[in-house]
Each structure stands twice: as C-alpha cells, then as structure tokens.
Amino acid sequence: MKFNPLSDAQLKELASMVASDRFSTGASILDLHARDQSAHSACRPEAVIWPETASEVASILQYANRQRIPLTGWGSGSSLEGNPIPVCQGIVLDFSRMNRILGIHEEDFQADVQPGVVYQDLNEKLRHTGLFFPPDPGARATIGGMIANNASGTRTVLYGSTRDYVMRLVVALANGELLEMGTRASKSSSGYNLINLFVGSEGTLGIVVEATMRLVGFPAEYSAAVATFPSVQAAARTVYELKRSGLNPAALELLGPECVALMNREEKLGLAVEPTLFLEFHGASTGQLAEVLDTARDICAAQGCRDFRPGLGRAERDRLFKARHALGEMIQHNHPEHHILIMDVAVPITRYAELLDAMQAEVQMHGLIAYTLSHAGNGNVHLNIAGRKDDSREWALVQEVSERLVMKAIALGGTATGEHGVGLGKRKYMRAQHGASLVWMQRVKDLFDPNGILNPGKIFP
Ligand SMILES: Cc1cc2nc3c(=O)[nH]c(=O)nc-3n(C[C@H](O)[C@H](O)[C@H](O)COP(=O)(O)OP(=O)(O)OC[C@H]3O[C@@H](n4cnc5c(N)ncnc54)[C@H](O)[C@@H]3O)c2cc1C
C-alpha cells in the first residue's frame, strides 16, 4: 500500500489536536518508535502523538482516515515480530500517557484500564486485593499491546492467554467512531463475539482506548521444581504425561542444556547442564503442594529423569522464573555480533516431541548456534537461532531453517506464532496456515478499515 508523505499542513493540523508537549517530529523520538525488540529493520514514523483520552484518539483517527494517513499504535515496543514498526510511516500513537487504572471492581474480579497500563503495574496495584491478572509476557508490556498481540507467557498453560481475560473493550475505529463491546457478566451467549476479532488483530482493525480485564484470585501457596532429563525427547514426553495427570501445572517450561549453561553462568543457578523442565504449581496449602510435587517426581522418574529438585514457596519460584524470564535478553547479550531469530511455533501437544526432533536435526545438520526455550505445556517453542550480522549467507541460512520448521509446525496441525503475533515476519505463512479463511480475514479488515490506514503492512502477505 502506498501513502503520501505527510504535508506541512497535515502535520500542523495533527499538532493542533493535542497539547504541544504531546506531539513530536524530533529525530530521536522518531528513532525510538522505529523498531521493536526484533531483528526486523527499523522504519521511522513521521510524527509521534501521545493521546490522553479516548476522544483525542477518535479525533486523530477521523482526521487520519479522511486524509489517508497511516496510523500505528505503540505500547512499549516490546514486540518480537515487528508488530508496531510503522513500515508505511505516518503517525505513531504512543499510549504511555493513557496509563490510568480507571477502576478496580474487586468483588466482580475486574479492572478497567486504559491501554497504556503496564501489566506489572496493574498487578502491583492489585497486590492488596488478593487478585491478579495472570498473562505474563515478561517484558514491560502494556495491556493495549498485549490485547493487540494476544500475548501470553509462562503461566498460560494454567491460566490462558490475554484473550481469556478481555471482558469489555472500547475501541476507536478507523473512521473515529468509538465502539464499546462485551459485558461485565462472567459469561454471555449474546451475539457475535466481536471482542475476539480485535484481540490478536495487532491494531489493524481498531485502536483499544479502554478495556475491562478479568482478574483471578492469587494462589495461596506456590511450589516449583527443576527436573533434568537425558534427552530433550524424554523431557518432551514428560510434558505430555504431566498434562495428562491432572496435576494442572501453572508453568511447564522446557530448556535445552545450552540455556541452562547460560543461566548458570549469568544467574549462578548451579543446575545440571541437561535438558531441563521448570515446573510451577499453585495450590491452597503447602501440604497439598507437597503431594503434587511427589506425584510430579514419580511422573518425571518414569521418563528417566536424572535429578528432581523440588522447592516450596514463592521465593524459590521467583528465583527460577526470574532467570527464565531474563533468558531471551541473556541470549542477545551473549551474542553481540549476531542477529537472533526468535521462532514462535506451537503444535498440538502430541506432536511436540516430533517438532523438537526436527529442530534438533536442522540445528545439528547446519552447525548453527541455537537455544531451545519453550512454553512446553502449550507446545510453544522459541528456538532462538543466531546468525552473524556480517555474514548475509549465514543469516539467509538461519531464515531458511526457520521457514522449514514453521512449515513443519503447520503441517503438524500447529501455528507459525503461538504468542508473538504475525507482525512482519509471519505474514508469509498466513496462506499456508489459514487457506480460504485468509480471504475472510481480508474482508473483515476491509470492513473495519476500508482505507487501510491502521498498522498497514502487517498480518496480510
Ligand atoms: C524479553 C522479552 C520477552 C517476551 N516474552 C514474551 C512471552 O513470553 N509471551 C508473549 O506473548 N510475548 C512476549 N514478548 C513479546 C511482547 O512483550 C508482547 O508481544 C507484548 O504483547 C507487546 O506489548 P507492548 O506493550 O510492548 O506492545 P507493542 O510492541 O508496542 O505493540 C504491539 C502491537 O500492539 C499494537 N498496539 C499497541 N497499543 C495498541 C492499542 N492501544 N490499540 C491497538 N493496537 C495497539 C501495536 O501497533 C502492535 O501491533 C516478549 C518480549 C521481550 C522483549
């Protein structure tokens, strides 16, 4: 899609819509909104605006739509697939000043938030209520960005993804109309589920200006365990057995030995350098959790587990998962001369071991530097593959390997992206994954955004 550069008159008009300190065309500000956390190339917008109210967003959209100006939402820019990169330039709406928690409805287990609220800040605010918002992508992501990407994280195996927590949405449509959808009731059979169209749409159908998020009770007790295995396949089989057992782990993460070595080095964890599962369980009492850990130990042992280290309590859980959350960044820091391609495939749990086999075979065949880290409970694997920045052939090889593995995951009944979204990098798989339904997605897009101004260049191949 081709858009004209913004004229001076358009820039002036846009600047007049907000206070002067909330509009910028300054080079350093544009640079800050030109790239996310992925290896995708940067592209500067032409202006950045920090709205403070829903009606400001609506007015800016109305004008942008009339003038055919591309507009991209921006939460924290922590995406990993180029999702917020304004590849057609135009305006970026940065939601960091729309970051108010509008109300906590404790007895109804809900919070009303503006889109720029960072999920950790929401959880901090909820601490005294005994409630929390479970999806945990790890980075300092905003609720708006999480809704747009349908983000999830380590706890998704028990609690679900962001999609499962959106009860009510207010969205500014491309034409500036404010549309409210959903209900405060905990269930509803009324009408089409429009909310689900917007969740995961990466800001291509509308801009979230307010959301009501479901909350859940904080678990009374935590436990964690680390289990090591002779092979990645034995660990993968254990994932299936643990899921079947009804123990309901709150996190079930698989790490290749190369990840464990890195975490030992950086966080002094002192773990055996072997394929490893991190397990987390939530429960009502330490007694109950001790029993759960005993059963988990038996299941792991049956699959050849070499070492099972259980730990009760939140401190133990936090120590392990802090290192797990930091792993992505550790990999980047340890390879300053490399680009890191982060895969995000997910497959049905019965095909999980097969996918890991295919990954190992590719990595070994090509002698690549790669790290296997996986939200195993959801069959979601982030194979991180390194390619030297100054070696275009190696980077092309990394991309070829990733492409083959994504097609393999789709052939196994899976998806190109379990949680990072399509953004720029996964567009090429949309046809293979969705077939005829891609045509209906395009029709939905055309219906909500006929001029194609919302985050253009994303999702569709
Ligand atoms: C170290 C690290 C670890 C990560 N781990 C995980 C993980 O475990 N699981 C996971 O799911 N993700 C993970 N991520 C990715 C990232 O944190 C998520 O995709 C997150 O949802 C992005 O939120 P954000 O606020 O940064 O949004 P941004 O990156 O700013 O934007 C994301 C998308 O949302 C759109 N958008 C932003 N605000 C709005 C709005 N108000 N209305 C409509 N559209 C909007 C943008 O245009 C873009 O398409 C990780 C990232 C990092 C850096």
Side-chain angles (χ1 to χ4, degrees):
M1 192 160 287
K2 197 96 185 77
F3 294 94
N4 294 324
L6 268 73
S7 66
D8 288 346
Q10 286 172 326
L11 286 168
K12 210 166 147 202
E13 182 63 27
L14 286 164
S16 74
M17 292 182 173
V18 291
S20 59
D21 64 336
R22 295 194 281 115
F23 174 91
S24 178
T25 53
S28 59
I29 294 290
L30 300 184
D31 282 341
L32 282 173
H33 296 84
R35 70 171 344 137
D36 61 0
Q37 297 292 316
S38 69
H40 292 291
S41 308
C43 182
R44 274 176 167 190
E46 291 156 277
V48 176
I49 303 177
W50 290 263
E52 282 185 350
T53 63
S55 62
E56 275 181 2
V57 176
S59 307
I60 294 164
L61 271 165
Q62 198 176 45
Y63 180 74
N65 194 42
R66 267 205 318 266
Q67 300 282 320
R68 310 287 192 268
I69 299 169
L71 182 147
T72 302
W74 189 276
S76 297
S78 73
S79 286
L80 295 172
E81 207 49 87
N83 324 50
I85 299 177
V87 287
C88 295
Q89 302 194 282
I91 311 164
V92 156
L93 284 191
D94 179 324
F95 286 98
S96 54
R97 300 227 196 156
M98 269 179 91
N99 65 346
R100 281 190 308 129
I101 297 170
L102 301 168
I104 294 173
H105 305 268
E106 211 174 312
E107 281 87 10
D108 279 328
F109 305 93
Q110 299 168 13
D112 296 339
V113 295
Q114 289 189 316
V117 169
V118 171
Y119 82 93
Q120 289 99 332
D121 294 345
L122 173 63
N123 279 335
E124 193 52 45
K125 193 84 182 179
L126 289 168
R127 197 177 269 270
H128 74 280
T129 66
L131 301 174
F132 80 121
F133 168 67
D136 62 334
R140 278 189 65 76
T142 63
I143 300 282
M146 289 175 69
I147 291 173
N149 285 354
N150 186 26
S152 46
T154 56
R155 299 189 196 117
T156 299
V157 62
L158 179 64
Y159 291 99
S161 60
T162 302
R163 187 183 297 288
D164 302 303
Y165 291 85
V166 187
M167 304 185 72
R168 187 185 141 267
L169 268 189
V170 185
V171 167
L173 298 180
N175 63 6
E177 187 186 332
L178 286 171
L179 177 68
E180 182 175 349
M181 59 201 110
T183 170
R184 288 190 181 277
S186 68
K187 60 188 283 195
S188 169
S189 296
S190 175
Y192 298 156
N193 189 340
L194 288 185
I195 285 183
N196 263 346
L197 271 183
F198 285 88
V199 178
S201 68
E202 302 181 27
T204 62
L205 297 180
I207 295 292
V208 176
V209 293
E210 189 183 316
T212 297
M213 308 306 286
R214 189 163 72 84
L215 308 173
V216 299
F218 216 68
E221 298 292 345
Y222 287 82
S223 66
V226 180
T228 58
F229 293 85
S231 67
V232 167
Q233 284 65 28
R237 280 196 308 277
T238 309
V239 169
Y240 171 73
E241 294 299 337
L242 283 165
K243 285 204 76 174
R244 248 167 60 96
S245 68
L247 292 181
N248 290 332
L252 189 44
E253 297 284 304
L254 184 145
L255 304 166
E258 66 291 341
C259 296
V260 179
L262 189 56
M263 290 159 88
N264 280 346
R265 214 165 53 233
E266 302 254 329
E267 295 284 332
K268 311 277 172 292
L269 291 186
L271 300 172
V273 179
E274 289 190 298
T276 297
L277 288 181
F278 275 19
L279 296 87
E280 178 181 339
F281 296 96
H282 295 170
S285 67
T286 50
Q288 180 210 344
L289 285 176
E291 281 177 26
V292 166
L293 285 176
D294 278 348
T295 311
R297 181 202 303 268
D298 292 346
I299 292 170
C300 291
Q303 299 303 325
C305 170
R306 291 209 229 250
D307 187 26
F308 187 89
R309 287 196 210 171
L312 286 173
R314 179 140 190 209
E316 178 63 8
R317 181 262 170 215
D318 286 353
R319 194 175 71 89
L320 291 174
F321 279 83
K322 187 172 152 261
R324 166 63 189 89
H325 277 309
L327 192 50
E329 277 159 13
M330 283 179 206
I331 294 170
Q332 300 266 2
H333 294 154
N334 274 272
H335 297 283
E337 267 104 57
H338 292 75
H339 287 304
I340 307 290
L341 187 148
I342 304 171
M343 296 191 63
D344 181 36
V345 286
V347 292
I349 205 71
T350 48
R351 315 307 293 273
Y352 180 60
E354 200 177 332
L355 176 70
L356 292 174
D357 276 343
M359 287 179 160
Q360 267 194 329
E362 285 276 4
V363 168
Q364 274 164 16
M365 182 163 57
H366 298 290
L368 292 166
I369 299 176
Y371 294 82
T372 303
L373 48 154
S374 166
H375 304 307
N378 294 106
N380 183 196
V381 191
H382 301 311
L383 186 70
N384 282 222
I385 320 175
R388 271 186 293 271
K389 285 178 181 165
D390 60 2
D391 185 343
S392 56
R393 277 176 48 191
E394 187 174 79
W395 187 238
L397 173 67
V398 167
Q399 287 177 314
E400 266 169 43
V401 165
S402 161
E403 244 172 83
R404 270 197 298 279
L405 290 170
V406 173
M407 293 310 284
K408 170 88 184 170
I410 293 173
L412 292 174
T415 172
T417 168
E419 55 182 21
H420 296 163
V422 179
L424 294 169
K426 299 297 187 303
R427 288 176 306 166
K428 58 186 168 204
Y429 307 111
M430 289 296 279
R431 245 178 228 116
Q433 184 172 336
H434 296 287
S437 56
L438 185 61
V439 175
W440 287 90
M441 289 189 202
Q442 184 67 62
R443 287 179 187 164
V444 170
K445 166 72 176 168
D446 294 344
L447 179 67
F448 280 101
D449 181 20
N451 296 324
I453 61 158
L454 289 175
N455 203 4
K458 308 297 163 57
I459 296 194
F460 295 97

